[in-house]
Amino acid sequence: MEENKNLLIRLLSSFQKQEGLDDLLLMVEHPNGFKRENAIRRLGMLGNPIALPKLIVRMNDWVPQVREVAKEALLNLMTSKNAEAFAESLPDLYHLNICSRDNHERFIDDVIRYLLEEENREFIRSAVFSPAPKVARIAVRLCFDYSLIDRAELVKKCLSHPDVLVRNIAAHHLREFSAKPLDTLLKIAIRDPFMPIRREAFQIYLRNNPGLGQVIANTFLFDRHISIREIAISYLQKNGIDVKEIYAAILSDENQTPSRKKYSILGLGYLGASDKIQAILLNMDSKYPSIRKSVIQALEKLLAEEVKPLLITALNDQSPSVAKESSRLIAKLKLRFDSNEIIKTIDIQCNPHALSLIVRVMSKSNKWERLLFLLKTLSIIVKNDAPYVEMIRSELVKWDADFNRSCSQPTDLQMQMIKIEYNNCSYLLNEAQKRSIEFTLK
């Protein structure tokens, strides 16, 4: 609906209204089929392309007679002066392909043949730069399919287009070129913000420029997307380059940018560089959250379950992104914690995101350790006047609801500790919670 409005606005800016046109456009949507049919016939006689969006919709009307009249009206509008309007209406026309009340393939083919006539082709070429992305995408495909523009020039124009799908269509044609045209196009495509386009240009560059391949691959060792970095790593390793040492040298250089350090850490993790663990760990205290996040991602690959203490610490990180990544890695490794192990890490002044993530992590642990953790945490945060009491109380409700999902029994030590912690904070619980925990303690 919004696209139809935008199309109508564009048509109104290019074509003049006629007297009585507004009434006919309204009548086209009348519930009475005879009135719709009459309005459509009159619109076809007026020949004003402003009616195109309404007439295309009526091509799939539930009344066969209305569909037939709409088709006749559109055929009447297929004159050279209306070609621009038909080019702007291409997405609506192609949409008819998925409308099931009739088979519209032949009609769509007729419209395309009409637009491909010599005097109308210019409007398809112009539609490549339409402000409507869907129009531009169809126009680009038609230009490629029917060679309406020199292919090298078309690819060059499309690679500078604001719509990512238009640029992607052009990128699929890069392998058709060679020599100078290709070099010019690759210089544009290799800087594209969309990863698949950048990767395609990078791979073609490596294949066609073996002399400069190492130079460009060194640059792409620090690309923001992992799939491109992996291609660069593989290429350099095949050419006898020690990529681990390149990344390690970045970590030891204080003048390097945070992004290069981040990708160096991730690269060492990807390469399984166990001998560089200490160099990676030195960056855990970095002031940049992206670097701290990359450290735990790399060490998860290098240390596996031994990364557990680092992940516990990272749960309390001031950056939500680092804490969330730690939580994700804990779930990935299926790590489990006892209450004593994790209660030491809780910072009473921590941000709400940290405590909520720790609570979520403990929800996967042994149910008695989870209860013990919640009671201990409740005692600690009340004692320190932290504003998270309600969060823990709601978690106790969830614990009670989940109680029978596991048949494990508490150890004697767990039971003793639960009694002690319960006595410390029972006054904060409502009667239902008290009854549930006291019943458990019996």
Side-chain angles (χ1 to χ4, degrees), residues 16 19-20 69 77 79 87 91 120 122 147 152 172 201 218 258 293 306 311 333 336 372 397 404 415 428:
Q16 292 184 342
E19 188 175 351
V69 171
L77 286 170
T79 61
N120 299 332
E122 185 56 39
S147 301
H172 288 307
N218 267 302
K293 183 177 176 180
E306 293 179 18
L311 294 180
L333 294 170
R336 297 293 180 263
L372 190 52
V397 172
N404 287 325
M415 186 61 74
L428 294 167

Side-chain angles (χ1 to χ4, degrees), residues 76 158 180 216 251 285 345 374 376 392 407 434:
N76 288 337
C158 290
K180 189 175 179 179
I216 192 71
L251 292 186
D285 295 326
T345 69
L374 292 173
K376 283 182 177 180
I392 303 302
C407 297
K434 287 181 181 179

